[in-house]
Amino acid sequence: MILQIALNTPLRRVFDYLPPAGLGDTTAPARLEPGVRVRVPFGRRHLVGILIGTSASSAVALAKLKPALEILDERPVFDPVTFDLLCWAAEYYHHPIGEVMAAALPPSLRAGQPADMTLESWSLTGAGRQELKNPGSRRAPQQRALLAWLAQQGPKTVEEIAGRRGGGPFKSVHLKSLLERGWAVATSVPAQPALFELRPSDVTLTDAQTQVVAAITASLGRFAAHLLYGVTGSGKTEVYLQVIAAALAGGGQVLVLVPEIALTPQLVERFRQRFSAGVVVMHSALAGTLRRDAWRAAHGGQARIIIGTRSAVFTSLPSLNLIVVDEEHDASYKQHEGFHYSARDLAVWRAQRAQVPVVLGSATPSLETLENVVQGRYSRLLLPQRVGMARAPRMTLIDLRKHATDQGLSQPAMQAIGQHLEAGGQVIVFLNRRGYAPSLFCNACGWIALCAHCDARMTLHRRAAQLRCHHCGAHAKVPVICGNCGQALYPVGQGTERVEETLARLFPNASLARLDRDTAAAHGAMQAVLERVHRGEARILVGTQMLTKGHHFPDVSLVVILDADQGLFASDFRATERLAQTITQVAGRAGRAARPGEVMIQTSFPEHPLLTRLISGGYEGFAAIALEERRAAHWPPYSRLALLRAEARENAGLDGFLRAAAARGRAVADGAVAVLGPAAALIARRADHFRAHLLIETAARAPLQRFLKQWLPLVESLPRPVGLRWSIDVDPLEVD
Ligand SMILES: [Zn+2]
Ligand SMILES: [Zn+2]
């Protein structure tokens, strides 16, 4: 028997090994299920891999095969559906299966730590009990108290010891000293599934919410994909909570995916308040042991609700009942580096395989999802009304060609800000560009501060007194005079920092807050800014994309969008969709309580059909014409794309490689597949690397997959200039 092992290497294959020596025949079948971890020799190292399958023969000569060192698990580390999902994802996204499997495990499990959750339970030894009876002992009072407590209580876990009620918690240092003296001992016991209970709430559902909850609940126990299309403020979260409670009532687990930025403590807190136990959080920034324990609790069934970002879609959940994908349109569901998967799409696949419903929630669904509704693959559940008193905000366009501006703020916008502040409202000013100014410019000779490593301008950050490149992270001192001609330099254009400065000058009595990646960099800083806004201390909030998601600002009555034009004429086919989503999401922050909201959008193209349609017909009106445009231009969802991206230090080598790859592709492509390019990336040089791509376009999924299967091995065998890297992105979000 040959073991086929997936190892965490960039090679698109499995590796053959012999079973470990000493693995008796009687135990072999039970312990060699696909999905168990196996430790194997690999070169000079030992690696932990995943058993994918077994076979009777190998392409490698038997004598050359090495035996595996040890089988690490009694049972697979993935439930069967997750294992299938990972195998399918590796094939669909054409990514090395070893890296795919590794992406699904926390680092400590990749390294071989036990997959099952056990708790350490502490109890006194005989020596410990003896010590308690020794009156002459000179122990610290806390040690003595802990000894007495354990003697009285019996075995206790670390959590219980740390959380002791009455008399204050004990510290780990006390426990450690007991251990060192041999007075206490820890033993491992299996963890119990969390007892689960839904706390009642005082929320009364609207008729629309009640209908939606009933429709989703009726589909429990089978596959169904629901688009929960609810305007901002329509109470999607309450629907999730009710549906999740119904899904958990009969046991089982629920997976809730949220965008990266939405994983705020408030959201998790809301779940924990309503569900008494068993809520765990999974994301890649979670510290090592926390992430491991969350994973173990999910895999072992102790966790009932798993809230996580993108990679949580791969969590082993043996009794999955329901999947929720909140803000399904969010770009962070697609991984941009390495393994280019879409967690949203994989969630639908997983739901189908597991025969459970999936709920895709959004106020601004992606055009792909809307097309799936049109095709009858997804049902559409509407929440058309805002909950409570809140009304939809009034939207207007401000023609920048007709009005004077002060650092990007038009006269009508400034006037409106003043009026809303006077009326006691709060104001959001949105600009999706951080820093002080996007360029530093010499009026005399036309010199512009450029990044030395990219084909891009440096952004001026005035408070940090730095020029920063937003593409590679390079930074430099701010030059005082033009390096070319010695004249003064001027910051041109606006970023959030400059807008904040301008607003402070125009409205000296209104306190300001700014939310962007610079102000939110420090731990807890974002939370602090949001709290200032919630308490009403900050009257004007300036920010980027960061403030579009999930935050609830009940007193915001005016939203000003400073620059709508960035997305109107961008080369990327998804740019207008993103713009419409951003405008709608930011607009959704206005007038969420009793205050009527107002949204002003500044543009130099007020007659642009996408903008006028968005104003008159809302996001849905926009989506209808955007889909027509996509169909006419053969863009997704009316075609299937894959993008081969490559980068190298030398442009000539890069171009040669992509031309050769394109030629191989055209040789194997049938009439259904178009190989386009090479084309340079928008930022043709970034971090000293030239970047270019080939675009593969087909009408349907099957011919694209057939083509990639034939073509990628040919690309892999091409001679490559030193340092050239390439990757394949199936269903890319951006063609760049
Ligand atoms: Zn100059
Ligand atoms: Zn740069």
Side-chain angles (χ1 to χ4, degrees), residues 382-395:
L382 272 183
L383 289 178
Q385 299 287 316
R386 290 182 167 206
V387 170
M389 302 274 288
R391 275 173 289 158
R394 192 166 60 89
M395 283 203 201

PDB file of all heavy atoms in Angstrom, residues 382-395:
ATOM      1  N   LEU A 382     -36.414  39.717   0.404  1.00  0.00           N
ATOM      2  CA  LEU A 382     -36.257  41.167   0.498  1.00  0.00           C
ATOM      3  C   LEU A 382     -36.567  41.708   1.887  1.00  0.00           C
ATOM      4  O   LEU A 382     -37.533  41.290   2.519  1.00  0.00           O
ATOM      5  CB  LEU A 382     -37.221  41.844  -0.472  1.00  0.00           C
ATOM      6  CG  LEU A 382     -36.759  42.084  -1.900  1.00  0.00           C
ATOM      7  CD1 LEU A 382     -37.848  42.824  -2.654  1.00  0.00           C
ATOM      8  CD2 LEU A 382     -35.465  42.882  -1.933  1.00  0.00           C
ATOM      9  N   LEU A 383     -35.737  42.634   2.332  1.00  0.00           N
ATOM     10  CA  LEU A 383     -36.056  43.449   3.509  1.00  0.00           C
ATOM     11  C   LEU A 383     -36.043  44.891   3.014  1.00  0.00           C
ATOM     12  O   LEU A 383     -35.024  45.567   3.078  1.00  0.00           O
ATOM     13  CB  LEU A 383     -35.017  43.259   4.618  1.00  0.00           C
ATOM     14  CG  LEU A 383     -34.995  41.932   5.357  1.00  0.00           C
ATOM     15  CD1 LEU A 383     -33.859  41.926   6.371  1.00  0.00           C
ATOM     16  CD2 LEU A 383     -36.321  41.679   6.066  1.00  0.00           C
ATOM     17  N   PRO A 384     -37.156  45.365   2.482  1.00  0.00           N
ATOM     18  CA  PRO A 384     -37.120  46.653   1.778  1.00  0.00           C
ATOM     19  C   PRO A 384     -37.153  47.865   2.699  1.00  0.00           C
ATOM     20  O   PRO A 384     -36.805  48.961   2.290  1.00  0.00           O
ATOM     21  CB  PRO A 384     -38.374  46.594   0.902  1.00  0.00           C
ATOM     22  CG  PRO A 384     -39.316  45.684   1.624  1.00  0.00           C
ATOM     23  CD  PRO A 384     -38.484  44.739   2.442  1.00  0.00           C
ATOM     24  N   GLN A 385     -37.548  47.693   3.935  1.00  0.00           N
ATOM     25  CA  GLN A 385     -37.764  48.849   4.797  1.00  0.00           C
ATOM     26  C   GLN A 385     -36.724  48.929   5.893  1.00  0.00           C
ATOM     27  O   GLN A 385     -36.258  47.920   6.390  1.00  0.00           O
ATOM     28  CB  GLN A 385     -39.136  48.725   5.476  1.00  0.00           C
ATOM     29  CG  GLN A 385     -40.307  48.685   4.532  1.00  0.00           C
ATOM     30  CD  GLN A 385     -40.574  50.042   3.911  1.00  0.00           C
ATOM     31  OE1 GLN A 385     -40.553  51.042   4.611  1.00  0.00           O
ATOM     32  NE2 GLN A 385     -40.805  50.075   2.614  1.00  0.00           N
ATOM     33  N   ARG A 386     -36.414  50.135   6.264  1.00  0.00           N
ATOM     34  CA  ARG A 386     -35.604  50.320   7.457  1.00  0.00           C
ATOM     35  C   ARG A 386     -36.461  50.046   8.679  1.00  0.00           C
ATOM     36  O   ARG A 386     -37.654  50.321   8.684  1.00  0.00           O
ATOM     37  CB  ARG A 386     -35.073  51.739   7.517  1.00  0.00           C
ATOM     38  CG  ARG A 386     -34.021  52.001   6.462  1.00  0.00           C
ATOM     39  CD  ARG A 386     -33.505  53.392   6.611  1.00  0.00           C
ATOM     40  NE  ARG A 386     -32.284  53.540   5.814  1.00  0.00           N
ATOM     41  CZ  ARG A 386     -31.345  54.416   6.102  1.00  0.00           C
ATOM     42  NH1 ARG A 386     -31.464  55.196   7.154  1.00  0.00           N
ATOM     43  NH2 ARG A 386     -30.280  54.508   5.343  1.00  0.00           N
ATOM     44  N   VAL A 387     -35.796  49.507   9.699  1.00  0.00           N
ATOM     45  CA  VAL A 387     -36.518  49.183  10.940  1.00  0.00           C
ATOM     46  C   VAL A 387     -36.781  50.464  11.723  1.00  0.00           C
ATOM     47  O   VAL A 387     -35.974  51.392  11.710  1.00  0.00           O
ATOM     48  CB  VAL A 387     -35.693  48.189  11.782  1.00  0.00           C
ATOM     49  CG1 VAL A 387     -36.300  48.022  13.161  1.00  0.00           C
ATOM     50  CG2 VAL A 387     -35.605  46.854  11.071  1.00  0.00           C
ATOM     51  N   GLY A 388     -37.908  50.531  12.384  1.00  0.00           N
ATOM     52  CA  GLY A 388     -38.200  51.673  13.253  1.00  0.00           C
ATOM     53  C   GLY A 388     -38.602  52.883  12.439  1.00  0.00           C
ATOM     54  O   GLY A 388     -39.220  52.783  11.392  1.00  0.00           O
ATOM     55  N   MET A 389     -38.192  54.034  12.936  1.00  0.00           N
ATOM     56  CA  MET A 389     -38.614  55.283  12.317  1.00  0.00           C
ATOM     57  C   MET A 389     -37.794  55.632  11.080  1.00  0.00           C
ATOM     58  O   MET A 389     -38.165  56.509  10.321  1.00  0.00           O
ATOM     59  CB  MET A 389     -38.424  56.414  13.329  1.00  0.00           C
ATOM     60  CG  MET A 389     -39.168  56.247  14.621  1.00  0.00           C
ATOM     61  SD  MET A 389     -40.810  56.880  14.467  1.00  0.00           S
ATOM     62  CE  MET A 389     -40.450  58.655  14.414  1.00  0.00           C
ATOM     63  N   ALA A 390     -36.648  54.996  10.927  1.00  0.00           N
ATOM     64  CA  ALA A 390     -35.688  55.482   9.947  1.00  0.00           C
ATOM     65  C   ALA A 390     -36.242  55.443   8.525  1.00  0.00           C
ATOM     66  O   ALA A 390     -36.853  54.472   8.113  1.00  0.00           O
ATOM     67  CB  ALA A 390     -34.413  54.652  10.035  1.00  0.00           C
ATOM     68  N   ARG A 391     -36.014  56.505   7.801  1.00  0.00           N
ATOM     69  CA  ARG A 391     -36.407  56.569   6.396  1.00  0.00           C
ATOM     70  C   ARG A 391     -35.160  56.548   5.527  1.00  0.00           C
ATOM     71  O   ARG A 391     -34.061  56.865   5.985  1.00  0.00           O
ATOM     72  CB  ARG A 391     -37.180  57.864   6.129  1.00  0.00           C
ATOM     73  CG  ARG A 391     -38.667  57.742   6.441  1.00  0.00           C
ATOM     74  CD  ARG A 391     -39.336  59.091   6.328  1.00  0.00           C
ATOM     75  NE  ARG A 391     -38.935  59.968   7.411  1.00  0.00           N
ATOM     76  CZ  ARG A 391     -39.012  61.307   7.349  1.00  0.00           C
ATOM     77  NH1 ARG A 391     -39.416  61.887   6.260  1.00  0.00           N
ATOM     78  NH2 ARG A 391     -38.636  62.039   8.389  1.00  0.00           N
ATOM     79  N   ALA A 392     -35.339  56.190   4.247  1.00  0.00           N
ATOM     80  CA  ALA A 392     -34.211  56.180   3.324  1.00  0.00           C
ATOM     81  C   ALA A 392     -33.710  57.610   3.141  1.00  0.00           C
ATOM     82  O   ALA A 392     -34.498  58.547   3.097  1.00  0.00           O
ATOM     83  CB  ALA A 392     -34.636  55.592   1.987  1.00  0.00           C
ATOM     84  N   PRO A 393     -32.395  57.802   3.061  1.00  0.00           N
ATOM     85  CA  PRO A 393     -31.872  59.162   2.913  1.00  0.00           C
ATOM     86  C   PRO A 393     -32.161  59.742   1.522  1.00  0.00           C
ATOM     87  O   PRO A 393     -32.349  59.006   0.565  1.00  0.00           O
ATOM     88  CB  PRO A 393     -30.371  58.981   3.120  1.00  0.00           C
ATOM     89  CG  PRO A 393     -30.096  57.560   2.768  1.00  0.00           C
ATOM     90  CD  PRO A 393     -31.343  56.790   3.103  1.00  0.00           C
ATOM     91  N   ARG A 394     -32.176  61.060   1.472  1.00  0.00           N
ATOM     92  CA  ARG A 394     -32.359  61.736   0.190  1.00  0.00           C
ATOM     93  C   ARG A 394     -30.971  61.940  -0.444  1.00  0.00           C
ATOM     94  O   ARG A 394     -30.054  62.433   0.205  1.00  0.00           O
ATOM     95  CB  ARG A 394     -33.020  63.099   0.438  1.00  0.00           C
ATOM     96  CG  ARG A 394     -33.541  63.799  -0.790  1.00  0.00           C
ATOM     97  CD  ARG A 394     -34.461  64.934  -0.349  1.00  0.00           C
ATOM     98  NE  ARG A 394     -33.762  65.912   0.480  1.00  0.00           N
ATOM     99  CZ  ARG A 394     -33.114  66.978  -0.017  1.00  0.00           C
ATOM    100  NH1 ARG A 394     -33.089  67.199  -1.321  1.00  0.00           N
ATOM    101  NH2 ARG A 394     -32.505  67.824   0.780  1.00  0.00           N
ATOM    102  N   MET A 395     -30.832  61.546  -1.710  1.00  0.00           N
ATOM    103  CA  MET A 395     -29.527  61.658  -2.368  1.00  0.00           C
ATOM    104  C   MET A 395     -29.543  62.756  -3.426  1.00  0.00           C
ATOM    105  O   MET A 395     -30.477  62.838  -4.216  1.00  0.00           O
ATOM    106  CB  MET A 395     -29.199  60.356  -3.103  1.00  0.00           C
ATOM    107  CG  MET A 395     -28.745  59.226  -2.223  1.00  0.00           C
ATOM    108  SD  MET A 395     -27.789  58.092  -3.269  1.00  0.00           S
ATOM    109  CE  MET A 395     -27.896  56.639  -2.315  1.00  0.00           C
TER     110      MET A 395
END
